[in-house]
mmCIF file of all heavy atoms in Angstrom:
data_model
loop_
_atom_site.group_PDB
_atom_site.id
_atom_site.type_symbol
_atom_site.label_atom_id
_atom_site.label_comp_id
_atom_site.label_asym_id
_atom_site.label_seq_id
_atom_site.Cartn_x
_atom_site.Cartn_y
_atom_site.Cartn_z
ATOM 1 N N PHE O 288 -13.346 13.687 -13.342
ATOM 2 C CA PHE O 288 -12.512 13.912 -14.506
ATOM 3 C C PHE O 288 -11.129 14.422 -14.099
ATOM 4 O O PHE O 288 -10.100 13.998 -14.662
ATOM 5 C CB PHE O 288 -13.181 14.890 -15.475
ATOM 6 C CG PHE O 288 -14.447 14.361 -16.063
ATOM 7 C CD1 PHE O 288 -15.670 14.838 -15.630
ATOM 8 C CD2 PHE O 288 -14.409 13.369 -17.025
ATOM 9 C CE1 PHE O 288 -16.849 14.337 -16.159
ATOM 10 C CE2 PHE O 288 -15.592 12.861 -17.569
ATOM 11 C CZ PHE O 288 -16.817 13.347 -17.133
ATOM 12 N N ALA O 289 -11.090 15.338 -13.125
ATOM 13 C CA ALA O 289 -9.784 15.818 -12.644
ATOM 14 C C ALA O 289 -9.000 14.696 -12.009
ATOM 15 O O ALA O 289 -7.780 14.583 -12.204
ATOM 16 C CB ALA O 289 -10.004 16.956 -11.629
ATOM 17 N N LYS O 290 -9.681 13.845 -11.264
ATOM 18 C CA LYS O 290 -9.015 12.697 -10.654
ATOM 19 C C LYS O 290 -8.427 11.794 -11.729
ATOM 20 O O LYS O 290 -7.283 11.342 -11.627
ATOM 21 C CB LYS O 290 -9.998 11.909 -9.785
ATOM 22 C CG LYS O 290 -9.404 10.653 -9.168
ATOM 23 C CD LYS O 290 -10.427 9.876 -8.362
ATOM 24 C CE LYS O 290 -9.845 8.580 -7.840
ATOM 25 N NZ LYS O 290 -10.810 7.790 -7.060
ATOM 26 N N PHE O 291 -9.214 11.527 -12.760
ATOM 27 C CA PHE O 291 -8.736 10.683 -13.860
ATOM 28 C C PHE O 291 -7.530 11.323 -14.542
ATOM 29 O O PHE O 291 -6.562 10.636 -14.871
ATOM 30 C CB PHE O 291 -9.862 10.459 -14.870
ATOM 31 C CG PHE O 291 -9.490 9.544 -16.007
ATOM 32 C CD1 PHE O 291 -9.331 8.187 -15.801
ATOM 33 C CD2 PHE O 291 -9.259 10.060 -17.282
ATOM 34 C CE1 PHE O 291 -8.978 7.352 -16.844
ATOM 35 C CE2 PHE O 291 -8.906 9.228 -18.326
ATOM 36 C CZ PHE O 291 -8.776 7.876 -18.114
ATOM 37 N N GLY O 292 -7.572 12.653 -14.719
ATOM 38 C CA GLY O 292 -6.441 13.346 -15.344
ATOM 39 C C GLY O 292 -5.179 13.227 -14.514
ATOM 40 O O GLY O 292 -4.089 12.992 -15.047
ATOM 41 N N ASN O 293 -5.299 13.363 -13.187
ATOM 42 C CA ASN O 293 -4.149 13.224 -12.299
ATOM 43 C C ASN O 293 -3.572 11.802 -12.362
ATOM 44 O O ASN O 293 -2.360 11.608 -12.338
ATOM 45 C CB ASN O 293 -4.525 13.571 -10.868
ATOM 46 C CG ASN O 293 -4.720 15.059 -10.658
ATOM 47 O OD1 ASN O 293 -4.060 15.864 -11.307
ATOM 48 N ND2 ASN O 293 -5.617 15.432 -9.768
ATOM 49 N N LEU O 294 -4.464 10.841 -12.449
ATOM 50 C CA LEU O 294 -4.011 9.449 -12.522
ATOM 51 C C LEU O 294 -3.229 9.190 -13.810
ATOM 52 O O LEU O 294 -2.235 8.480 -13.812
ATOM 53 C CB LEU O 294 -5.197 8.483 -12.410
ATOM 54 C CG LEU O 294 -5.858 8.402 -11.035
ATOM 55 C CD1 LEU O 294 -7.091 7.505 -11.090
ATOM 56 C CD2 LEU O 294 -4.875 7.883 -9.997
ATOM 57 N N ILE O 295 -3.693 9.763 -14.907
ATOM 58 C CA ILE O 295 -2.988 9.603 -16.179
ATOM 59 C C ILE O 295 -1.580 10.171 -16.074
ATOM 60 O O ILE O 295 -0.593 9.557 -16.503
ATOM 61 C CB ILE O 295 -3.760 10.300 -17.327
ATOM 62 C CG1 ILE O 295 -5.075 9.564 -17.627
ATOM 63 C CG2 ILE O 295 -2.894 10.353 -18.589
ATOM 64 C CD1 ILE O 295 -4.918 8.173 -18.158
ATOM 65 N N VAL O 296 -1.450 11.362 -15.469
ATOM 66 C CA VAL O 296 -0.155 12.022 -15.351
ATOM 67 C C VAL O 296 0.780 11.257 -14.426
ATOM 68 O O VAL O 296 1.983 11.144 -14.683
ATOM 69 C CB VAL O 296 -0.338 13.467 -14.841
ATOM 70 C CG1 VAL O 296 1.000 14.100 -14.503
ATOM 71 C CG2 VAL O 296 -1.069 14.312 -15.885
ATOM 72 N N GLU O 297 0.240 10.715 -13.332
ATOM 73 C CA GLU O 297 1.087 10.174 -12.273
ATOM 74 C C GLU O 297 1.251 8.654 -12.288
ATOM 75 O O GLU O 297 1.855 8.095 -11.377
ATOM 76 C CB GLU O 297 0.536 10.607 -10.916
ATOM 77 C CG GLU O 297 0.565 12.107 -10.683
ATOM 78 C CD GLU O 297 1.981 12.662 -10.702
ATOM 79 O OE1 GLU O 297 2.937 11.892 -10.438
ATOM 80 O OE2 GLU O 297 2.152 13.873 -10.965
ATOM 81 N N THR O 298 0.722 7.950 -13.287
ATOM 82 C CA THR O 298 0.821 6.480 -13.265
ATOM 83 C C THR O 298 1.559 5.911 -14.466
ATOM 84 O O THR O 298 1.389 4.740 -14.803
ATOM 85 C CB THR O 298 -0.587 5.852 -13.183
ATOM 86 O OG1 THR O 298 -1.392 6.329 -14.272
ATOM 87 C CG2 THR O 298 -1.261 6.181 -11.876
ATOM 88 N N GLY O 299 2.396 6.720 -15.092
ATOM 89 C CA GLY O 299 3.183 6.188 -16.222
ATOM 90 C C GLY O 299 4.057 5.026 -15.782
ATOM 91 O O GLY O 299 4.256 4.062 -16.534
ATOM 92 N N TYR O 300 4.584 5.112 -14.557
ATOM 93 C CA TYR O 300 5.441 4.044 -14.021
ATOM 94 C C TYR O 300 4.720 2.694 -14.015
ATOM 95 O O TYR O 300 5.324 1.639 -14.204
ATOM 96 C CB TYR O 300 5.862 4.394 -12.579
ATOM 97 C CG TYR O 300 4.758 4.154 -11.592
ATOM 98 C CD1 TYR O 300 4.666 2.953 -10.902
ATOM 99 C CD2 TYR O 300 3.761 5.098 -11.392
ATOM 100 C CE1 TYR O 300 3.615 2.709 -10.031
ATOM 101 C CE2 TYR O 300 2.723 4.864 -10.536
ATOM 102 C CZ TYR O 300 2.653 3.667 -9.854
ATOM 103 O OH TYR O 300 1.609 3.429 -9.005
ATOM 104 N N MET O 301 3.403 2.745 -13.786
ATOM 105 C CA MET O 301 2.641 1.517 -13.574
ATOM 106 C C MET O 301 2.607 0.656 -14.832
ATOM 107 O O MET O 301 2.696 -0.575 -14.774
ATOM 108 C CB MET O 301 1.218 1.855 -13.123
ATOM 109 C CG MET O 301 0.424 0.647 -12.651
ATOM 110 S SD MET O 301 -1.257 1.079 -12.132
ATOM 111 C CE MET O 301 -0.932 2.064 -10.665
ATOM 112 N N HIS O 302 2.479 1.312 -15.988
ATOM 113 C CA HIS O 302 2.413 0.546 -17.237
ATOM 114 C C HIS O 302 3.736 -0.168 -17.503
ATOM 115 O O HIS O 302 3.760 -1.330 -17.926
ATOM 116 C CB HIS O 302 2.056 1.461 -18.415
ATOM 117 C CG HIS O 302 1.833 0.716 -19.689
ATOM 118 N ND1 HIS O 302 0.744 -0.095 -19.899
ATOM 119 C CD2 HIS O 302 2.589 0.619 -20.817
ATOM 120 C CE1 HIS O 302 0.816 -0.649 -21.097
ATOM 121 N NE2 HIS O 302 1.929 -0.227 -21.681
ATOM 122 N N ILE O 303 4.844 0.521 -17.237
ATOM 123 C CA ILE O 303 6.153 -0.101 -17.405
ATOM 124 C C ILE O 303 6.302 -1.283 -16.479
ATOM 125 O O ILE O 303 6.729 -2.392 -16.875
ATOM 126 C CB ILE O 303 7.276 0.920 -17.154
ATOM 127 C CG1 ILE O 303 7.223 2.056 -18.176
ATOM 128 C CG2 ILE O 303 8.646 0.245 -17.191
ATOM 129 C CD1 ILE O 303 8.188 3.175 -17.883
ATOM 130 N N GLN O 304 5.932 -1.088 -15.216
ATOM 131 C CA GLN O 304 6.102 -2.144 -14.223
ATOM 132 C C GLN O 304 5.178 -3.329 -14.476
ATOM 133 O O GLN O 304 5.488 -4.457 -14.100
ATOM 134 C CB GLN O 304 5.869 -1.575 -12.818
ATOM 135 C CG GLN O 304 6.955 -0.593 -12.412
ATOM 136 C CD GLN O 304 6.743 0.021 -11.045
ATOM 137 O OE1 GLN O 304 7.459 0.924 -10.664
ATOM 138 N NE2 GLN O 304 5.769 -0.454 -10.305
ATOM 139 N N ALA O 305 4.018 -3.062 -15.085
ATOM 140 C CA ALA O 305 3.068 -4.131 -15.337
ATOM 141 C C ALA O 305 3.395 -4.935 -16.585
ATOM 142 O O ALA O 305 2.898 -6.043 -16.766
ATOM 143 C CB ALA O 305 1.664 -3.552 -15.449
ATOM 144 N N THR O 306 4.257 -4.374 -17.475
ATOM 145 C CA THR O 306 4.527 -5.055 -18.740
ATOM 146 C C THR O 306 5.980 -5.494 -18.885
ATOM 147 O O THR O 306 6.253 -6.582 -19.384
ATOM 148 C CB THR O 306 4.149 -4.141 -19.915
ATOM 149 O OG1 THR O 306 4.837 -2.885 -19.778
ATOM 150 C CG2 THR O 306 2.648 -3.888 -19.955
ATOM 151 N N LYS O 307 6.934 -4.653 -18.457
ATOM 152 C CA LYS O 307 8.358 -4.970 -18.584
ATOM 153 C C LYS O 307 9.090 -4.726 -17.267
ATOM 154 O O LYS O 307 10.036 -3.940 -17.193
ATOM 155 C CB LYS O 307 8.985 -4.112 -19.703
ATOM 156 C CG LYS O 307 8.323 -4.243 -21.066
ATOM 157 C CD LYS O 307 8.515 -5.624 -21.665
ATOM 158 C CE LYS O 307 7.875 -5.682 -23.057
ATOM 159 N NZ LYS O 307 7.948 -7.049 -23.639
ATOM 160 N N PRO O 308 8.668 -5.410 -16.204
ATOM 161 C CA PRO O 308 9.261 -5.123 -14.889
ATOM 162 C C PRO O 308 10.755 -5.436 -14.826
ATOM 163 O O PRO O 308 11.510 -4.734 -14.150
ATOM 164 C CB PRO O 308 8.464 -6.026 -13.942
ATOM 165 C CG PRO O 308 7.910 -7.117 -14.800
ATOM 166 C CD PRO O 308 7.646 -6.477 -16.125
ATOM 167 N N ASP O 309 11.191 -6.483 -15.503
ATOM 168 C CA ASP O 309 12.601 -6.856 -15.417
ATOM 169 C C ASP O 309 13.508 -5.827 -16.077
ATOM 170 O O ASP O 309 14.633 -5.587 -15.619
ATOM 171 C CB ASP O 309 12.826 -8.230 -16.066
ATOM 172 C CG ASP O 309 12.196 -9.352 -15.252
ATOM 173 O OD1 ASP O 309 11.579 -9.045 -14.213
ATOM 174 O OD2 ASP O 309 12.312 -10.521 -15.653
ATOM 175 N N THR O 310 13.019 -5.192 -17.163
ATOM 176 C CA THR O 310 13.834 -4.206 -17.853
ATOM 177 C C THR O 310 14.022 -2.955 -16.985
ATOM 178 O O THR O 310 15.146 -2.490 -16.779
ATOM 179 C CB THR O 310 13.167 -3.802 -19.181
ATOM 180 O OG1 THR O 310 12.988 -4.982 -19.984
ATOM 181 C CG2 THR O 310 14.013 -2.804 -19.935
ATOM 182 N N ALA O 311 12.933 -2.426 -16.464
ATOM 183 C CA ALA O 311 13.023 -1.245 -15.617
ATOM 184 C C ALA O 311 13.775 -1.536 -14.338
ATOM 185 O O ALA O 311 14.574 -0.733 -13.852
ATOM 186 C CB ALA O 311 11.628 -0.724 -15.298
ATOM 187 N N GLY O 312 13.530 -2.723 -13.769
ATOM 188 C CA GLY O 312 14.125 -3.078 -12.501
ATOM 189 C C GLY O 312 15.626 -3.239 -12.535
ATOM 190 O O GLY O 312 16.320 -2.969 -11.544
ATOM 191 N N THR O 313 16.163 -3.663 -13.679
ATOM 192 C CA THR O 313 17.598 -3.910 -13.776
ATOM 193 C C THR O 313 18.416 -2.640 -13.514
ATOM 194 O O THR O 313 19.383 -2.653 -12.748
ATOM 195 C CB THR O 313 17.954 -4.467 -15.166
ATOM 196 O OG1 THR O 313 17.277 -5.717 -15.351
ATOM 197 C CG2 THR O 313 19.460 -4.697 -15.295
ATOM 198 N N SER O 314 18.021 -1.540 -14.119
ATOM 199 C CA SER O 314 18.770 -0.283 -13.925
ATOM 200 C C SER O 314 18.629 0.217 -12.491
ATOM 201 O O SER O 314 19.595 0.700 -11.897
ATOM 202 C CB SER O 314 18.298 0.785 -14.904
ATOM 203 O OG SER O 314 16.906 1.017 -14.747
ATOM 204 N N LEU O 315 17.448 0.088 -11.926
ATOM 205 C CA LEU O 315 17.217 0.557 -10.546
ATOM 206 C C LEU O 315 17.967 -0.305 -9.536
ATOM 207 O O LEU O 315 18.447 0.197 -8.519
ATOM 208 C CB LEU O 315 15.710 0.545 -10.232
ATOM 209 C CG LEU O 315 14.847 1.477 -11.073
ATOM 210 C CD1 LEU O 315 13.372 1.251 -10.784
ATOM 211 C CD2 LEU O 315 15.215 2.930 -10.828
ATOM 212 N N ASN O 316 18.088 -1.571 -9.832
ATOM 213 C CA ASN O 316 18.780 -2.487 -8.931
ATOM 214 C C ASN O 316 20.297 -2.290 -8.981
ATOM 215 O O ASN O 316 21.012 -2.807 -8.116
ATOM 216 C CB ASN O 316 18.430 -3.935 -9.289
ATOM 217 C CG ASN O 316 18.691 -4.888 -8.157
ATOM 218 O OD1 ASN O 316 18.371 -4.611 -6.997
ATOM 219 N ND2 ASN O 316 19.276 -6.033 -8.463
ATOM 220 N N ASP O 317 20.787 -1.538 -9.965
ATOM 221 C CA ASP O 317 22.227 -1.322 -10.122
ATOM 222 C C ASP O 317 22.669 0.046 -9.621
ATOM 223 O O ASP O 317 23.856 0.298 -9.483
ATOM 224 C CB ASP O 317 22.594 -1.460 -11.612
ATOM 225 C CG ASP O 317 24.094 -1.571 -11.823
ATOM 226 O OD1 ASP O 317 24.712 -2.463 -11.190
ATOM 227 O OD2 ASP O 317 24.640 -0.772 -12.594
ATOM 228 N N SER O 318 21.710 0.920 -9.335
ATOM 229 C CA SER O 318 22.051 2.293 -8.935
ATOM 230 C C SER O 318 21.261 2.700 -7.700
ATOM 231 O O SER O 318 20.042 2.926 -7.791
ATOM 232 C CB SER O 318 21.742 3.272 -10.070
ATOM 233 O OG SER O 318 21.793 4.613 -9.614
ATOM 234 N N PRO O 319 21.900 2.815 -6.545
ATOM 235 C CA PRO O 319 21.154 3.211 -5.354
ATOM 236 C C PRO O 319 20.562 4.608 -5.448
ATOM 237 O O PRO O 319 19.469 4.852 -4.948
ATOM 238 C CB PRO O 319 22.203 3.123 -4.236
ATOM 239 C CG PRO O 319 23.527 3.189 -4.920
ATOM 240 C CD PRO O 319 23.320 2.553 -6.254
ATOM 241 N N ILE O 320 21.255 5.530 -6.111
ATOM 242 C CA ILE O 320 20.720 6.892 -6.214
ATOM 243 C C ILE O 320 19.540 6.913 -7.176
ATOM 244 O O ILE O 320 18.558 7.642 -6.982
ATOM 245 C CB ILE O 320 21.811 7.898 -6.644
ATOM 246 C CG1 ILE O 320 21.402 9.322 -6.225
ATOM 247 C CG2 ILE O 320 22.105 7.841 -8.128
ATOM 248 C CD1 ILE O 320 21.418 9.553 -4.735
ATOM 249 N N GLY O 321 19.592 6.081 -8.222
ATOM 250 C CA GLY O 321 18.456 5.958 -9.131
ATOM 251 C C GLY O 321 17.257 5.325 -8.423
ATOM 252 O O GLY O 321 16.118 5.758 -8.589
ATOM 253 N N LEU O 322 17.530 4.320 -7.604
ATOM 254 C CA LEU O 322 16.477 3.659 -6.834
ATOM 255 C C LEU O 322 15.823 4.637 -5.865
ATOM 256 O O LEU O 322 14.591 4.690 -5.753
ATOM 257 C CB LEU O 322 17.052 2.465 -6.071
ATOM 258 C CG LEU O 322 16.077 1.641 -5.232
ATOM 259 C CD1 LEU O 322 15.086 0.913 -6.121
ATOM 260 C CD2 LEU O 322 16.843 0.638 -4.351
ATOM 261 N N ALA O 323 16.648 5.422 -5.184
ATOM 262 C CA ALA O 323 16.117 6.394 -4.223
ATOM 263 C C ALA O 323 15.240 7.436 -4.916
ATOM 264 O O ALA O 323 14.167 7.790 -4.415
ATOM 265 C CB ALA O 323 17.267 7.077 -3.488
#
Side-chain angles (χ1 to χ4, degrees):
F288 295 106
K290 177 182 176 180
F291 183 72
N293 286 329
L294 290 175
I295 292 295
V296 171
E297 296 298 337
T298 56
Y300 76 95
M301 190 180 292
H302 186 70
I303 297 173
Q304 292 178 188
T306 55
K307 303 293 182 184
D309 291 1
T310 302
T313 298
S314 58
L315 297 173
N316 200 43
D317 194 54
S318 168
I320 202 69
L322 181 67

